[in-house]
Amino acid sequence: MLPLPGRFNGAVRALAAQRFAATGARWKDVVFERQFDLFSLADARAVEQEALDDGYRFDFSATVSLESEPDKYKRPERETPAFTDGGTNADGRRQVGVGDNVIRKSATVTGPVALISRIEQVMGYLADGIPEGTIAVIDDSGGTLTAPIIEGFAGVICLGGTVRSHLGILAREYDVPTLMNCKIDTLSDGDVVELEVTAAPPAADAYETGDTGHARIWLVGNEG
């Protein structure tokens, strides 16, 4: 079992076993009628707080989480200026980021980016349509903001979450090439990028071991 789930499950089992033993009752008389005597909401919060006190921070799935509980979640690294040396490859491309590929494709995807973080932008796309080939840059991995329009994108760069976040699930359902958990240099509306969606998705334990970020993002031009 992965370290964090193992830590939670171990704490739950230990507390429940200790309190059940103290009841002196039979299991069948406790499990349905007095289950909250064995493990309560306060206990769950205490286990979580212990992990936070040890320095653990959760990956956020919606930006509202960052606003409501900023000390509990990792901040998105939208701009990482030290990520590349700024050089350009012989083919004219410059690597500007990495991410975790959700769906392995047979070819890379290229298109102009649109930075999307406001409801007004989504409403505009609903009313006017999404320009063909648009690659969305989204900092909310929850999917609530962009779910109504996600199938219209040629690709998605998400700055948070994991391949198992809600946005990652939507991307698989709608077959939209998507990179999650991205670290990027500065990108502006109209920058044309290429997504390495031919990369293998991360392994099941990648977010615990840190073996992530194998799909590359290249800047290839600007339509502005």
Side-chain angles (χ1 to χ4, degrees):
M1 185 175 291
L2 302 179
L4 185 64
R7 181 174 183 159
F8 270 79
N9 287 343
V12 172
R13 288 175 179 173
L15 272 174
Q18 176 186 352
R19 290 175 180 166
F20 172 66
T23 65
R26 295 178 299 177
W27 177 252
K28 70 181 185 66
D29 295 327
V30 175
V31 66
F32 295 119
E33 301 296 332
R34 300 168 57 188
Q35 65 268 41
F36 297 117
D37 292 343
L38 304 182
F39 193 83
S40 66
L41 175 60
D43 293 325
R45 287 174 172 164
V47 173
E48 179 185 88
Q49 188 59 52
E50 184 179 352
L52 294 172
D53 291 343
D54 286 346
Y56 188 87
R57 292 295 181 271
F58 297 97
D59 292 308
F60 71 92
S61 61
T63 51
V64 67
S65 300
L66 295 174
E67 296 168 2
S68 61
E69 297 181 287
D71 297 331
K72 188 183 291 187
Y73 296 93
K74 300 173 187 173
R75 304 297 302 184
E77 299 179 43
R78 185 164 189 149
E79 296 179 5
T80 313
F83 177 73
T84 64
D85 60 10
T88 301
N89 295 340
D91 58 7
R93 300 184 304 172
R94 178 166 65 88
Q95 187 179 346
V96 294
V98 294
D100 300 333
N101 191 22
V102 175
I103 317 164
R104 194 170 198 175
K105 296 290 187 179
S106 60
T108 60
V109 173
T110 301
V113 302
L115 280 59
I116 301 172
S117 60
R118 295 181 292 109
I119 293 175
E120 292 77 9
Q121 292 173 286
V122 174
M123 296 304 293
Y125 281 132
L126 281 171
D128 303 328
I130 301 173
E132 186 174 357
T134 297
I135 293 177
V137 180
I138 302 169
D139 64 1
D140 182 351
S141 61
T144 303
L145 176 68
T146 49
I149 56 174
I150 189 171
E151 61 182 320
F153 294 123
V156 171
I157 296 171
C158 182
L159 306 184
T162 73
V163 295
R164 294 185 287 273
S165 295
H166 189 203
L167 187 64
I169 294 169
L170 290 172
R172 275 189 289 273
E173 289 295 318
Y174 287 102
D175 196 27
V176 178
T178 296
L179 302 184
M180 300 292 295
N181 187 36
C182 292
K183 311 292 186 291
I184 61 172
D185 290 344
T186 300
L187 285 176
S188 302
D189 288 323
D191 284 342
V192 180
V193 297
E194 180 178 352
L195 308 185
E196 191 181 29
V197 289
T198 54
D205 62 349
Y207 295 102
E208 296 294 338
T209 63
D211 186 23
T212 58
H214 296 296
R216 292 168 291 182
I217 303 168
W218 293 282
L219 179 67
V220 298
N222 187 289
E223 290 191 345

